Amino acid sequence: RRPRSCCCACCRSLVDKRAHRCPVLAHCCHLLPMLMPAPVHTCCFCGTPAGENFYGLAADSAFRIPLWRHVYTWLGIVPASVANLKKHIKWGCVACTPGGIAEMYLAGGKHDHIYIKSRKGFVSVSVEEGIPIVPVYHFGNTALLSFGPKFCEPYGRRWRFSLGLLYGTFGLPLPRRVALMMVVGPPVAVEKVARTDPRFQEVVDETHG
């Protein structure tokens, strides 16, 4: 079912009212990508029919957990796939975390690292549909908690599941005391090009780069 609508002023400003095109929000959040964009839904759920619908993409393995899948469905989060992205972008804004599970294993250091260089799937859909992309970054999130051990990464990525332990203060799953800030960049205009066009991959690479 469709989630409640978003009436947040900054989110409404991202929508192209003339063509009624809602953007793809590309989040880089390091930890718990399956919970993102839950914070976006939480801060934007104001229950007004005048707002825009928001959806999120998450690994399909999360929907195999009985209670968890009901929470995700209520938040408007659907399994991550090209088909779902194309389907839900017609109904509202779609938030995704390109780094996914691989990015979780980069958390815990003093410097921010993101896993996006080889992630072009969401850009391909944006180019094919002519939908703008809005970059979103969460500063401080990489130091909030650590995730590991690192040797679990190949298995976690293969099974599309966050395999590992979260730890922070005193080695417990308690967030460290750090400043957090979410930054939303201006929408990146995307040229609409059909997949059959010889220029398609070139445009994708240019937009992504």
Side-chain angles (χ1 to χ4, degrees):
R1 68 182 182 86
R2 297 191 181 187
R4 299 182 207 175
S5 55
C6 166
C7 67
C8 175
C10 75
C11 294
R12 283 208 308 265
S13 66
L14 299 177
V15 181
D16 186 339
K17 295 298 183 180
R18 291 168 297 180
H20 196 71
R21 296 182 304 168
C22 294
V24 173
L25 281 76
H27 285 261
C28 293
C29 63
H30 295 95
L31 286 175
L32 298 181
M34 292 185 300
L35 284 180
M36 290 301 297
V40 176
H41 288 74
T42 303
C43 73
C44 294
F45 273 6
C46 303
T48 170
E52 297 295 333
N53 290 323
F54 262 72
Y55 302 92
L57 302 178
D60 52 6
S61 58
F63 292 87
R64 301 187 188 121
I65 306 174
L67 181 59
W68 207 239
R69 66 168 174 255
H70 294 297
V71 174
Y72 271 15
T73 301
W74 182 79
L75 287 172
I77 300 177
V78 298
S81 68
V82 172
N84 275 333
L85 178 54
K86 288 183 177 182
K87 175 182 177 181
H88 289 82
I89 201 65
K90 297 176 182 178
W91 296 343
C93 299
V94 177
C96 64
T97 52
I101 293 172
E103 195 170 86
M104 294 178 64
Y105 293 93
L106 298 178
K110 295 182 179 180
H111 304 285
D112 285 11
H113 300 278
I114 61 175
Y115 195 94
I116 197 172
K117 188 175 182 179
S118 62
R119 302 298 174 94
K120 300 181 180 181
F122 70 102
V123 179
S124 297
V125 175
S126 296
V127 171
E128 185 178 10
E129 300 293 330
I131 301 295
I133 300 173
V134 177
V136 182
Y137 194 82
H138 301 259
F139 286 96
N141 204 22
T142 186
L144 193 65
L145 289 164
S146 298
F147 186 80
K150 183 72 173 178
F151 69 80
C152 291
E153 180 181 358
Y155 305 101
R157 294 177 62 180
R158 181 185 304 171
W159 299 331
R160 293 174 58 82
F161 192 81
S162 51
L163 185 64
L165 298 174
L166 285 171
Y167 56 94
T169 305
F170 305 122
L172 300 174
L174 300 174
R176 301 183 183 96
R177 192 179 182 85
V178 296
L180 298 176
M181 179 174 61
M182 184 178 81
V183 178
V184 182
V188 177
V190 176
E191 179 184 357
K192 185 175 182 179
V193 180
R195 283 185 180 268
T196 55
D197 193 306
R199 295 179 52 248
F200 180 77
Q201 192 57 49
E202 178 185 345
V203 174
V204 169
D205 293 338
E206 182 180 349
T207 303
H208 182 273

